Amino acid sequence: MNIVKKYNLDKLRFVALLVLALQLSSCNDFLDNDNEFYHVATQEQQWNSLTDTRAALFGVYGLMRSALGENNTYWAVGDLRLGDFTVRVRDDLQAIRDNKLDESYPLIQQIANWRRFYKVVNAASVFVENAGKVLEKDDAYSETNYQYDVAQVRVLRALAYFYMVRMWGDVPLLKYSYDNGTFPEVPRTDVEIVLKYVKDELKAVAPLLPELLGAASDKYYGGDADKWRGWLLNRYSAYAILAHVSAWEGNYVDVETYAGYVWDNAEKIKAACVPIEDLVGPTGIFSVSYANTNRAARLVTFGYNYESTEVNESTVDGHLESWTLADPIISKALPDIFISKDSLVKIFMQDATGDTRFGFDETGRYYTNYIKGLNLDIPVFSKINVLRDGKGTTSDHAVFGSFIILSRMEDMALLRAEALTMLNRSEDAVAYLNTVRNLRGLVTLSYEKDLSKGGAELLLKEIFNERRRELMGEGHYWFDQIRRARILGDNPEMVELVNSGKIYWPVADDVLKANPEITQNECWK
């Protein structure tokens, strides 16, 4: 193929109540993370004051986190499906791993139901249509505050659509709220139209967002930049999402524009790539405990707050750890999924040694930052390993608190390298590839000495291989495989899936029954 062609049990109960309320009353229940309580308002009360807008705003964030985390959707979709993980015992996970999404397991049907993403869309639309009322009723709610709020929920709505497009292809495009949380019977909209809407929304609101919420003298909902850094979406979050949308489209001019903008301005918000000790473990970048000054490295993220003694946001579902952790980290004999030793060697030890994620130094001592139990038949993938507040647990019912990180600085570096290669700027691309390689102990590559003979194709393979290593367990690999198949075509299985449309998920039976206007994806009929 030509190269140019181509996110405690109490919280779980709350989330269930929140979802039910959204179905019945268009977002009457909202998560107020700032005041650390759950605010329930009547329809008449909820657009009267700044307190109401704050509750509604964080409610949309909570719904987005739930949409991604429910049934571990984010990892089933992005990491498990034809990915590097081996399934130990569960037949439903094995079916997802093998891309047999037409098998009748409840987990597959639940993940294949896009309703939870439309709850994000509806809640965001309700906010856009109603938040302006508070400007007239509460002098504490400023025009700037209103602008920042609306911009964030529009980004969240666009992100929900982008994720749906990557999962199902054509999806119904609903730009306004729908009464009482009911879903109108409308057909699917062509994917190109939905993606244009996503890009138009993101481009419109990105300049309206500040570099960091709370950085101005009047703060933001009482919090300064350190409070909101790495928690809420900002200008660079929007552009990071735009970079991924453009890559999905194959528009590498725009990928370079947006990823480059994020990268070139990162110092303004103290965002940087993280050393290996900040990437892994219970207090690293996936933890609420991660240092304030570095949180901006989490460009697009949905997190869990353990700093409250009143609200315990620990959960079982919604974290990769529920599938991957076991002894000696938690009281579970064996993980549900794991990465075999053979796979680890193949992925990490192709080009010599020194990889601090998984490799060995000059003395032969292994680096095992991504796993525990190298001597075990089934090693434990422990890169993402956040138990409660980072202090760990020995409970048989472990609960987790890791953040869902959709994009971080290393992701932007490698996405920019991908774009530069596609734009015939290979030497510039190698510099960004080396930024991540050097950070993980790998030798510097020279385009002229190491890569030029294989041309752009060899460089792209190195970039995709580095994304596979660096972003392992972070929900990117499936989508990276699709882009790789489109531009390199070096995996016949993935090329066939791309060409047949089988990269998409089937639409859940419940969706098809509820809306006769929706048709099943052709390849899953």
Side-chain angles (χ1 to χ4, degrees), residues 1-6 421-422 456-457 460 486-488:
M1 184 176 293
N2 191 305
I3 192 172
V4 178
K5 290 181 188 173
K6 328 304 158 248
T421 306
M422 295 297 292
E457 290 194 15
L460 279 168
R486 286 170 172 169
I487 63 178
L488 283 173

Side-chain angles (χ1 to χ4, degrees), residues 274-345:
V274 297
I276 189 65
E277 60 269 21
D278 287 351
L279 177 61
V280 301
T283 58
I285 192 171
F286 295 96
S287 168
V288 69
S289 303
Y290 193 56
N292 281 340
T293 54
N294 294 325
R295 284 179 180 168
R298 302 190 296 229
L299 295 169
V300 184
T301 187
F302 298 92
Y304 294 76
N305 187 4
Y306 282 92
E307 297 176 334
S308 167
T309 58
E310 298 177 16
V311 177
N312 185 353
E313 289 202 338
S314 57
T315 64
V316 176
D317 188 40
H319 304 276
L320 180 64
E321 295 101 313
S322 68
W323 287 348
T324 56
L325 293 190
D327 283 330
I329 301 171
I330 64 172
S331 297
K332 180 178 179 180
L334 293 169
D336 294 329
I337 64 175
F338 65 99
I339 301 181
S340 70
K341 294 178 187 177
D342 288 346
S343 293
L344 289 165
V345 170

Side-chain angles (χ1 to χ4, degrees), residues 469-495:
R469 294 187 289 258
E470 177 64 21
L471 301 173
M472 181 176 283
E474 298 184 44
H476 289 274
Y477 187 47
W478 171 251
F479 306 113
D480 287 352
Q481 288 190 84
I482 294 171
R483 291 203 316 282
R484 179 169 181 157
R486 286 170 172 169
I487 63 178
L488 283 173
D490 59 347
N491 182 338
E493 181 181 14
M494 284 303 303
V495 171

